Amino acid sequence: MDKFVMIIFGASGDLTKRKLMPALYSLYKDKRLKGDFFIIGVGRTVYTDTDYRAYIYSELEKFVKPEDQDKEWMDAFTQHLYYLPIDPAVEAGYVRLRERLEELTGEKEPDNLLFYLATPPSLYGVIPLHIKKAHLNRGHARIIVEKPFGYDLESARELNRIYASVFGEHQIYRIDHFLGKETAQNILAFRFANGIFEPLWNRNYIDYIEITAVENLGIEDRGGFYDSTGALRDMVQNHLIQLVALTAMEPPAVFNADTFRDEVVKVYESLTPLKEVDFEEHIVRGQYTASGNKKGYREEKNVSPESRTETYIAMKLGISNWRWSGVPFYIRTGKQMPTKVTEIVVHFRETPHQMFHCEGGHCPRANKLILRLQPNEGIVLKIGMKVPGAGFEVKQVTMEFSYNQLGGVPIGDAYARLIDDCIQGDPTLFTRSDAVDASWRFFDPVLRYWKDHPDAPLYGYPAGTWGPLESEAMMHEHGAEWTNPC
Ligand code: BG6
């Protein structure tokens, strides 16, 4: 195989130091990345190769788990790093990039290249065009591009057109790191490798489903990015809707990149289009306000003091198909919540008749299945059991599987898994162009509604709480409440 070169645009940014370099280091240590390979960081900040290696080494010390840090491996890994100080927005720099690639590989036309776009989204449309002009899109070249892919439907379509003019679809890897999570992939195994749940997995037995992905941090130092993005673009249009797809999709007859992604798209295309009443009552957006020693969103660095960007969103979705008709999917995400957790809670229908008498008259009648993606990764089933002793009182108890029980098998890192897949040429866990389009088709009307109704409510919620009370009201309509994990 030709020498492999990964070119990271945005090499001095947050994502590179927090996620990409630790992931590449772990692939290197696991010998998934070996032989003749080079990683070239590209960015406007000026570094020499030596400075960049030292900088990344010090970041690895911060972002790699202490038990995985090994001085020798870290030293050896950073020797594969190089740096090219160019402005990725300007065409001229790509001639220098090509020269650098030829010089490092000693090849006339190096083509085993992987471009990674970890830049602000405003550069997603520009970089591929410069790559093409510099003839760097040939052979085995691949490109990984971060989310959000597009700012709305129109810009996502424009991006898809640009990418299609530079690369074949098989060369384009639109990354959504939630799909790289072991626990997200396990949703498919749980559903389709077991015979007992799938017969119940439909509107006859399921009452409603909740999907929660919340964080106890604010926007940290990403104000510039976040204030022009917001929770809908940052989390919902990609991560959350992927989780909806994994929960709701049909099993493909054979599992491969095409069949799996076909089923994902079918879910997106079955989402019940949103109507006026949904914009007003079934979508709740919020923004965190100062509380205790926590800043309010509008006081964050690089955020407008009048910002109307949402840091919280809860939505009720419907899926119009035979399996899911009438079953609401409640999804929510937020910054500055009481805890960090991602989980799916499947609420089964109540037993049709209750013959036991429980204290207070409330016997638990509905089973609940919780797929916990992070942290405390595992699966919990809530079932009713008789309380030992006289009478027939029933109480809900928990059956629990925790990933810890797998006995030392570490849960791999999502970025490492996905970068490895891309290097191996497996696009299964990446978002296809038609999925981007279908997802934006569904969410674009929300953005338009907010734009056309500048007074549409944006509720404040004190940092460190579970979001606006209005999102509770949305659940009450169904006679339910959010499951707030502790
Ligand atoms: C990223 C978002 O894609 O996902 C961040 O841009 C968010 O705002 C992050 O914090 C959450 O990912 P994880 O894996 O930490 O749940």
Side-chain angles (χ1 to χ4, degrees):
M1 189 60 153
D2 304 333
K3 289 168 184 159
F4 170 66
V5 191
M6 179 163 173
I7 302 108
I8 303 178
F9 292 92
S12 51
D14 210 54
L15 183 70
T16 303
K17 68 181 186 197
R18 277 176 195 276
K19 301 284 187 188
L20 304 186
M21 287 299 176
L24 288 164
Y25 164 71
S26 91
L27 289 177
Y28 180 67
K29 201 158 161 272
D30 291 346
K31 304 200 176 75
R32 307 283 304 167
L33 199 56
K34 54 185 180 195
D36 264 343
F37 76 90
F38 309 86
I39 298 169
I40 307 184
V42 171
R44 283 186 307 180
T45 315
V46 178
Y47 288 109
T48 61
D49 291 344
T50 317
D51 294 343
Y52 191 62
R53 286 172 189 170
Y55 159 66
I56 293 299
Y57 190 99
S58 65
E59 297 299 337
L60 291 178
E61 288 181 319
K62 290 182 214 152
F63 295 110
V64 172
K65 283 194 219 130
E67 62 269 28
D68 294 333
Q69 291 188 20
D70 180 307
K71 216 174 154 342
E72 269 177 42
W73 280 101
M74 278 155 65
D75 255 336
F77 168 71
T78 50
Q79 291 311 307
H80 289 268
L81 303 183
Y82 300 83
Y83 192 82
L84 183 66
I86 58 167
D87 181 350
V90 178
E91 193 186 332
Y94 290 71
V95 176
R96 289 181 52 206
L97 175 59
R98 201 180 54 214
E99 288 165 2
R100 195 80 210 268
L101 288 169
E102 291 170 1
E103 183 188 299
L104 284 176
T105 59
E107 291 168 12
K108 203 138 180 23
E109 293 194 336
D111 70 351
N112 191 9
L113 308 178
L114 166 55
F115 299 99
Y116 198 115
L117 269 55
T119 63
S122 54
L123 291 175
Y124 292 175
V126 179
I127 294 173
L129 294 174
H130 291 332
I131 290 176
K132 183 179 178 183
K133 284 205 186 125
H135 304 293
L136 293 172
N137 55 335
R138 57 184 169 230
H140 284 106
R142 279 142 288 166
I143 187 162
I144 301 184
V145 57
E146 269 293 333
K147 50 141 277 280
F149 193 82
Y151 191 74
D152 53 16
L153 178 61
E154 197 188 322
S155 56
R157 285 190 168 160
E158 178 57 16
L159 275 186
N160 267 338
R161 268 194 293 275
I162 292 175
Y163 279 71
S165 74
V166 179
F167 296 103
E169 181 64 27
H170 66 285
Q171 295 171 289
I172 307 168
Y173 290 75
R174 296 172 196 80
I175 195 165
D176 175 333
H177 79 277
F178 267 44
L179 260 194
K181 291 181 193 285
E182 197 60 53
T183 45
Q185 295 154 30
N186 191 47
I187 299 170
L188 295 183
F190 180 81
R191 290 187 52 201
F192 303 136
N194 293 293
I196 58 172
F197 294 104
E198 199 48 27
L200 308 179
W201 211 260
N202 58 53
R203 67 194 175 87
N204 296 322
Y205 299 97
I206 292 179
D207 184 13
Y208 67 102
I209 293 181
E210 289 174 74
I211 301 183
T212 293
V214 294
E215 297 170 89
N216 50 0
L217 290 177
I219 51 161
E220 306 216 274
D221 45 7
R222 297 161 78 219
F225 161 77
Y226 199 88
D227 207 32
S228 57
T229 305
L232 185 102
R233 294 184 180 93
D234 187 42
M235 292 291 290
V236 179
Q237 183 270 335
N238 29 68
H239 299 327
L240 262 78
I241 206 65
Q242 279 284 4
L243 297 183
V244 171
L246 294 173
T247 311
M249 66 188 270
E250 297 301 318
V254 286
F255 188 79
N256 63 40
D258 285 332
T259 56
F260 166 64
R261 296 188 299 171
D262 287 347
E263 294 304 334
V264 169
V265 173
K266 283 185 208 162
V267 174
Y268 294 172
E269 290 183 336
S270 314
L271 291 165
T272 316
L274 298 164
K275 299 191 289 287
E276 194 82 8
V277 58
D278 298 309
F279 299 131
E280 283 162 15
E281 290 170 26
H282 300 141
I283 301 177
V284 176
R285 30 168 204 169
Q287 190 185 71
Y288 61 85
T289 55
S291 171
N293 59 358
K294 293 183 172 156
K295 274 190 205 164
Y297 176 69
R298 291 179 185 177
E299 283 110 56
E300 299 276 13
K301 203 170 130 213
N302 295 328
V303 167
S304 152
E306 274 128 49
S307 173
R308 287 188 53 81
T309 299
E310 78 287 355
T311 60
Y312 173 93
I313 182 164
M315 287 181 79
K316 176 184 174 188
L317 310 178
I319 299 179
S320 299
N321 63 19
W322 274 69
R323 191 191 277 263
W324 295 115
S325 180
V327 179
F329 281 67
Y330 294 98
I331 63 173
R332 64 175 168 169
T333 183
K335 300 276 188 199
Q336 287 293 21
M337 304 264 109
T339 184
K340 177 171 172 83
V341 67
T342 304
E343 70 177 24
I344 299 169
V345 185
V346 180
H347 296 262
F348 290 92
R349 287 195 187 283
E350 293 193 342
T351 50
H353 170 69
Q354 180 58 266
M355 60 185 189
F356 303 114
H357 298 283
C358 299
E359 224 180 63
H362 290 298
C363 291
R365 291 175 57 179
N367 296 108
K368 218 159 64 162
L369 176 76
I370 304 174
L371 305 172
R372 174 68 75 92
L373 274 71
Q374 63 183 19
N376 306 330
E377 292 81 359
I379 296 175
V380 169
L381 182 62
K382 301 272 189 185
I383 50 175
M385 294 282 281
K386 180 182 172 299
V387 179
F392 268 93
E393 186 158 333
V394 175
K395 183 178 169 203
Q396 200 152 62
V397 297
T398 296
M399 269 173 79
E400 191 164 0
F401 157 74
S402 156
Y403 274 77
N404 289 337
Q405 293 159 5
L406 289 178
V409 181
I411 298 189
D413 169 72
Y415 273 94
R417 164 71 199 256
L418 293 174
I419 293 172
D420 192 25
D421 279 4
C422 175
I423 293 173
Q424 306 304 323
D426 181 355
T428 310
L429 299 176
F430 292 82
T431 310
R432 220 168 49 189
S433 63
D434 50 349
V436 170
D437 200 86
S439 164
W440 272 122
R441 279 204 306 277
F442 178 73
F443 287 109
D444 197 62
V446 183
L447 297 173
R448 258 186 288 132
Y449 182 84
W450 288 345
K451 198 164 162 224
D452 296 345
H453 299 79
D455 296 332
L458 169 74
Y459 303 103
Y461 62 96
T465 64
W466 281 105
L469 293 176
E470 286 70 10
S471 73
E472 291 295 339
M474 182 174 89
M475 291 294 258
H476 292 163
E477 213 183 81
H478 191 78
E481 284 177 1
W482 288 103
T483 308
N484 289 338
C486 36

